[in-house]
Amino acid sequence: MARLCCVAGRINDEDVAAVRERARIEDVVSSHVTLRGAGSGTLKGLCPFHEEKTPSFQVTPARGLYYCFGCGEGGDVITFVQRIDNLSFAEAVELLADRVGIQLRYDDAGPRVEPGARMRVLEANQAAMEFFQELLLSPEALPARQQLAGRGFDRDVAERFGVGYAPRGGRLLRTHLRAKGFSDEEMVRAGLVRESGYDFFQGRLLWPIKDAGRLVLGFGGRRLFDDDRMPAKYINTPETLVYKKSHVLYGLDLARTAIGKKSQAVVVEGYTDVMACHVAGVDTAVASCGTAFGADHAKLLQRLMGDHEAFGGEVIFTFDGDAAGQAAALKVFKEDRFFIGQTYVAVEPSGLDPCDLREQQGDAALRELIGTRRPLYRFVLANTISKFDLDRADGRVAALREAAPLVGSIRDDAVASGYARELAGMVGLDPDEVRAEVARVRRGGRRRDADPVEPADGGLPLRTLPDPRDRALAVERGTLKLMLQAPEVFGGDGAAAWDGVTADDFTHPAYRAVFVALSTAERAGNWSEAVRRAAADEVLDQLIVALGVEAVLREPSSGYAREYAARLRLLAVMRQIAELKSRLQRTNPVEDTTRYNRLFSELLELEERRRDLYQESSSLTE
């Protein structure tokens, strides 16, 4: 099996394993987190993924894993680089390979990029940013400074956001980077220079676009001169090894900490809007770069806000109140399934964007705009039904028919029911009539997407992870911890493998899925990685990492494993007994003697098995 790489085919698995082994997790994490010894070969520090005062972030070098007991983030050295630098799996492997000096092999035919290419692109971008920043103070850049001043931004603000100026000379950046040791090929690969040899950005006001780790991925440039041969008002760096517009958000480097701390993200439409928000005190503002806000952007914000059961955070979009703004809001509503938090919209009635609003009415007005946000669904529903005459019976019915598909598209039944109740009040119809129309739409297959897959037994969806403090699931969790950390202590093979434990012994679908993964994984090489690969699920990946680093209360041994397996199987038998007793109570022994006797015989067998398993597990005190 080989890993997919977006640029150079599929990375050979042996090379991935070599990178994971040679890139010591404690060395990589230490560049972002101050680690201190915590006993038992573990290291602790403050989590880089959420705000905390007491260290709950743990690194276990012997297993090559990290895990935060506060926010649930966890994984290996590759996962850490993915999370901290907002990279794909292949990009993280390539970055680490460059760092430890491993030349990767790619199994698929495709364009080849030499080791270190990605790092050179990042270094070229950094050098270009410094060059552009210096030139912002030059006489030639007066129109750029006037543009900033006209939007209410002084020199200090420009420096805070790294704003710069691309000169009109045509090849000045190329000459500068050559002197710094960069080749023409590296400059083209970074999107800084065209194949023709001319600078990509010329005569433009520039904003550096950085990732969460403050690495410069690319630039956005605004037109300043009428004779600019590029007609677009704004242009962005073309797609490169590091710049992929659907995966980046401008301002993320400045907003990341605040987003995690406040569980809030404000999404605006432009570079100056981001600047205006931050200057006004709205420090969670970001913007997409040269493309519409999409699924990958949403996933990025999800990671930063975290996944809290009680409060999933909120995403606030700023839209104009005109038809274009309403259309944009409807598009976001249709993609709202990507968000874990509640989605809101902040609309300025006069149509001013955040930057204009701050310039004309001050910082307080911009903060007030964000503070008076309204739920996105209410905004969308109100705009949908506003097209109809609700004073007429046929108008109310038409409005309902137009809005019902929007409500019917909501996957959460409880939320959809609440929306239907509000819609009934908006259109002036009986709530039962509205619910009936929503139900009809759902039955007609007009929903935007399929329901999430539920377990066959009707349990919780796999996206719902178990509470590690749930005592009712303690034996299931303890058994899996032992299986992941010391698989060699379990005996048996074939149907009796894992001391007779089966998937049916687990009640929580996530625990059951982990057991299925470890049952199919090969016991060779890195066991934890093999199980994670077999699971092939991002949510389960976090659970597997957590189970792999949580402490077990006794030294693993074959006897300890047998006791755990017996206790788990005992609980499963007790559930079967309870179900069988219920069936016996519903069976008339006179009218259905045969069935009653059969069920009674099964009950006796289960009771005997229960006694045996109780004896096997009697010394287990967890």
Side-chain angles (χ1 to χ4, degrees):
M1 180 180 176
R3 299 289 186 181
L4 180 64
C5 172
C6 57
V7 173
R10 299 170 69 86
I11 303 175
N12 183 278
D13 256 359
E14 293 179 0
D15 294 346
V16 174
V19 168
R20 187 177 281 112
E21 180 179 359
R22 195 176 300 179
R24 299 292 300 171
I25 191 167
E26 62 271 30
D27 296 337
V28 175
V29 173
S30 292
S31 62
H32 299 274
V33 180
T34 300
L35 297 174
R36 293 183 174 84
S40 302
T42 61
L43 303 169
K44 267 195 168 185
L46 294 175
C47 180
F49 303 110
H50 80 289
E51 288 289 314
E52 63 175 5
K53 296 182 179 179
T54 303
S56 58
F57 182 84
Q58 177 178 300
V59 175
T60 310
R63 296 194 184 119
L65 298 173
Y66 73 92
Y67 187 74
C68 177
F69 291 90
C71 68
E73 279 281 354
D76 58 19
V77 66
I78 298 174
T79 311
F80 182 82
V81 173
Q82 284 183 263
R83 297 287 192 267
I84 203 74
D85 289 332
N86 185 30
L87 302 177
S88 68
F89 177 87
E91 290 168 335
V93 172
E94 289 170 339
L95 186 147
L96 289 170
D98 293 340
R99 176 171 176 161
V100 298
I102 293 177
Q103 184 162 348
L104 298 175
R105 294 167 293 172
Y106 298 88
D107 294 342
D108 290 352
R112 292 294 178 259
V113 179
E114 67 273 10
R118 186 180 186 280
M119 291 302 297
R120 289 294 286 171
V121 167
L122 292 171
E123 290 167 0
N125 284 340
Q126 179 67 29
M129 180 186 72
E130 295 168 359
F131 174 73
F132 295 142
Q133 287 173 337
E134 290 180 6
L135 286 181
L136 183 62
L137 303 178
S138 67
E140 181 189 333
L142 177 61
R145 295 194 297 273
Q146 290 174 333
Q147 176 67 29
L148 290 171
R151 305 310 303 270
F153 303 124
D154 58 20
R155 179 174 175 176
D156 290 340
V157 174
E159 290 180 354
R160 175 181 171 187
F161 288 88
V163 182
Y165 171 74
R168 306 186 74 185
R171 301 194 181 195
L172 295 180
L173 175 64
R174 178 191 181 206
T175 301
H176 176 79
L177 292 181
R178 271 186 168 181
K180 292 280 187 179
F182 294 97
S183 67
D184 286 355
E185 182 182 1
E186 289 171 333
M187 288 182 260
V188 171
R189 184 177 291 150
L192 296 169
V193 172
R194 301 178 188 276
E195 294 281 357
S196 62
Y198 286 94
D199 296 346
F200 184 84
F201 296 101
Q202 299 179 39
R204 296 223 166 201
L205 180 64
L206 292 183
W207 288 267
I209 301 167
K210 303 179 182 180
D211 65 9
R214 295 183 172 83
L215 297 174
V216 183
L217 305 178
F219 299 88
R222 188 195 189 281
R223 181 175 178 165
L224 294 172
F225 302 100
D226 292 337
D227 60 351
D228 192 323
R229 288 182 293 180
M230 296 289 290
K233 184 177 180 180
Y234 286 92
I235 60 173
N236 294 85
T237 295
E239 297 272 310
T240 69
L241 293 175
V242 301
Y243 181 81
K244 297 171 180 60
K245 60 186 179 182
S246 64
H247 291 74
V248 299
L249 289 169
Y250 175 69
L252 189 64
D253 54 314
L254 297 173
R256 171 182 177 152
T257 299
I259 289 173
K261 183 176 181 180
K262 298 178 180 179
S263 288
Q264 179 200 77
V266 175
V267 181
V268 296
E269 295 186 343
Y271 303 111
T272 56
D273 291 334
V274 172
M275 295 174 71
C277 284
H278 281 262
V279 172
V282 183
D283 55 1
T284 59
V286 294
S288 56
C289 304
T291 186
F293 189 92
D296 292 320
H297 297 126
K299 291 175 184 176
L300 176 55
L301 293 182
Q302 278 183 324
R303 280 207 306 270
L304 294 179
M305 289 191 296
D307 189 359
H308 310 290
E309 291 183 3
F311 178 64
E314 59 183 26
V315 180
I316 304 169
F317 289 86
T318 60
F319 296 119
D320 293 337
D322 58 13
Q326 294 174 24
L330 181 59
K331 182 179 184 298
V332 170
F333 181 84
K334 290 179 177 178
E335 296 186 350
D336 189 38
R337 61 187 181 276
F338 297 122
F339 297 110
I340 53 171
Q342 299 182 58
T343 313
Y344 294 83
V345 58
V347 177
E348 211 291 311
S350 62
L352 296 176
D353 62 31
C355 187
D356 288 332
L357 179 63
R358 172 181 175 267
E359 184 183 347
Q360 295 183 23
Q361 301 182 30
D363 292 349
L366 180 49
R367 292 194 298 270
E368 179 69 14
L369 171 66
I370 304 303
T372 55
R373 64 198 179 278
R374 57 190 295 197
L376 176 64
Y377 77 89
R378 286 183 185 163
F379 179 78
V380 170
L381 290 179
N383 281 307
T384 299
I385 66 177
S386 66
K387 298 178 292 184
F388 302 92
D389 183 358
L390 301 183
D391 291 333
R392 295 165 52 94
D394 57 346
R396 292 193 292 273
V397 172
L400 171 60
R401 289 175 177 171
E402 182 78 9
L406 298 175
V407 177
S409 68
I410 305 301
R411 294 182 299 178
D412 189 315
D413 288 340
V415 174
S417 178
Y419 288 4
R421 189 165 51 250
E422 290 203 33
L423 177 59
M426 289 179 177
V427 297
L429 293 173
D430 184 89
D432 289 338
E433 183 179 351
V434 173
R435 292 192 186 97
E437 177 63 16
V438 170
R440 188 193 66 78
V441 167
R442 284 186 166 185
R443 288 195 303 271
R446 294 170 61 187
R447 300 184 67 181
R448 282 196 308 262
D449 54 4
D451 283 339
V453 176
E454 302 286 341
D457 61 359
L460 293 172
L462 283 184
R463 65 174 179 271
T464 305
L465 289 182
D467 184 347
R469 298 163 298 182
D470 190 341
R471 296 303 302 167
L473 298 172
V475 175
E476 294 183 28
R477 193 176 188 91
T479 304
L480 289 174
K481 285 196 297 186
L482 203 55
M483 289 176 171
L484 283 165
Q485 297 181 30
E488 68 280 359
V489 300
F490 286 86
D493 52 45
W498 301 105
D499 283 322
V501 172
T502 69
D504 291 337
D505 294 329
F506 296 89
T507 61
H508 197 286
Y511 287 150
R512 187 184 306 115
V514 171
F515 178 78
V516 170
L518 63 85
S519 297
T520 57
E522 295 183 12
R523 292 203 202 183
N526 188 319
W527 170 238
S528 177
E529 166 61 17
V531 176
R532 293 166 63 200
R533 189 164 56 247
D537 182 272
E538 185 175 342
V539 176
L540 286 181
D541 188 82
Q542 296 296 306
L543 176 58
I544 292 169
V545 170
L547 295 171
V549 299
E550 288 181 7
V552 294
L553 298 186
R554 283 166 51 185
E555 185 68 25
S557 66
S558 58
Y560 191 34
R562 283 195 302 273
E563 291 172 9
Y564 245 122
R567 176 61 62 87
L568 184 66
R569 292 163 59 202
L570 171 63
L571 294 175
V573 168
M574 291 173 67
R575 290 192 297 272
Q576 294 176 45
I577 290 173
E579 171 61 24
L580 197 55
K581 286 182 176 179
S582 176
R583 290 163 62 190
L584 275 169
Q585 289 178 350
R586 299 193 302 269
T587 303
N588 190 315
V590 176
E591 296 178 358
D592 197 350
T593 305
T594 302
R595 172 180 167 82
Y596 186 87
N597 289 340
R598 178 173 56 80
L599 292 176
F600 191 77
S601 297
E602 291 178 13
L603 179 60
L604 293 178
E605 292 178 6
L606 286 174
E607 286 288 0
E608 185 175 354
R609 194 183 310 166
R610 181 190 64 80
R611 286 192 294 270
D612 292 341
L613 290 171
Y614 180 79
Q615 301 244 336
E616 289 183 50
S617 64
S618 58
S619 62
L620 185 64
T621 57
E622 293 184 51

